[in-house]
Amino acid sequence: ADGRLYAAIKTNYNSKSNAPVIGLLVRHVDGTWAPFEDNYRVDLSDKTDPNGYDPSGPYVPSERDPVVVIDEIHQSLVVAYTSDKSGGDILYRRSPLWPIAFEKEKTLLSTGDTPLGMVTSTKQNTSAGIVFLASDADMSQPSGQLHSAYLGY
C-alpha cells in the first residue's frame, strides 16, 4: 500500500442538491485530502427523499451505507452500495486506485421482489476477487436471509 486512505461515505444529500448521496473520500500519504470532485461521486440519486439535505438532522443509518474494498494487485477499488435507502439491488462501481475514475454502475446482487440492504465485505485487501454479503432489507422477518456474490477479476 502506498499509504492512501479510502473511505466510502453516505451523505444526507439527495439528487435535488446535485451533491453525492454515495461518495468516496481519499486521503493522500502526506495527510491532505483530495478535493471532492465529480470523480468521487459514486451515486447522485436518492429515490426516497424528496426533501433534500437536513443539516440539523442526525445521521441515520440506512440500507444504503456503502463499503469500499481495495485490490492492490490490480490497483483498483470497488464501492458497493444499495440502490435505495429502503433496500433494493446491490450495485457497485469500480475504479483505478489513482486517479479515481469510476466505471459505469453495475448490479452485483438482485433478488427481484426482496429488497436487499446492508452490504458488507471482507475488511482486508484482496488480490483474487471479492465476496460481498447483503441481507434482506427487513431482517426482522423470520424468513430473512443472507445473500452473497463473488466479484472476480
Side-chain angles (χ1 to χ4, degrees):
D2 69 1
R4 282 192 185 102
L5 173 72
Y6 299 89
I9 61 165
K10 180 189 80 66
T11 70
N12 280 342
Y13 292 106
N14 74 5
S15 55
K16 284 175 149 178
S17 66
N18 199 31
V21 175
I22 306 291
L24 182 73
L25 299 178
V26 181
R27 192 185 73 175
H28 297 291
V29 178
D30 65 5
T32 61
W33 290 90
F36 198 68
E37 300 169 351
D38 287 341
N39 289 347
Y40 304 94
R41 295 168 182 236
V42 178
D43 186 44
L44 286 171
S45 64
D46 192 352
K47 302 166 190 71
T48 58
D49 183 7
N51 301 317
Y53 174 68
D54 179 5
S56 63
Y59 169 77
V60 178
S62 76
E63 303 298 335
R64 294 212 71 193
D65 292 344
V67 60
V68 61
V69 180
I70 307 296
D71 177 357
E72 290 187 76
I73 300 296
H74 296 98
Q75 291 294 290
S76 66
L77 61 84
V78 173
V79 176
Y81 52 98
T82 308
S83 62
D84 190 87
K85 72 180 183 181
S86 300
D89 293 342
I90 303 300
L91 308 175
Y92 76 96
R93 293 186 72 189
R94 197 185 301 255
S95 168
L97 286 179
W98 199 256
I100 302 298
F102 283 106
E103 295 174 357
K104 184 180 175 185
E105 179 180 87
K106 297 178 184 170
T107 300
L108 179 65
L109 271 169
S110 179
T111 60
D113 294 340
T114 305
L116 300 174
M118 304 307 280
V119 64
T120 190
S121 185
T122 180
K123 303 302 182 208
Q124 62 195 31
N125 294 345
T126 180
S127 62
I130 308 165
V131 173
F132 289 94
L133 300 174
S135 64
D136 291 352
D138 186 2
M139 283 299 287
S140 65
Q141 299 300 317
S143 62
Q145 296 181 15
L146 190 62
H147 305 271
S148 65
Y150 175 78
L151 184 60
Y153 290 95

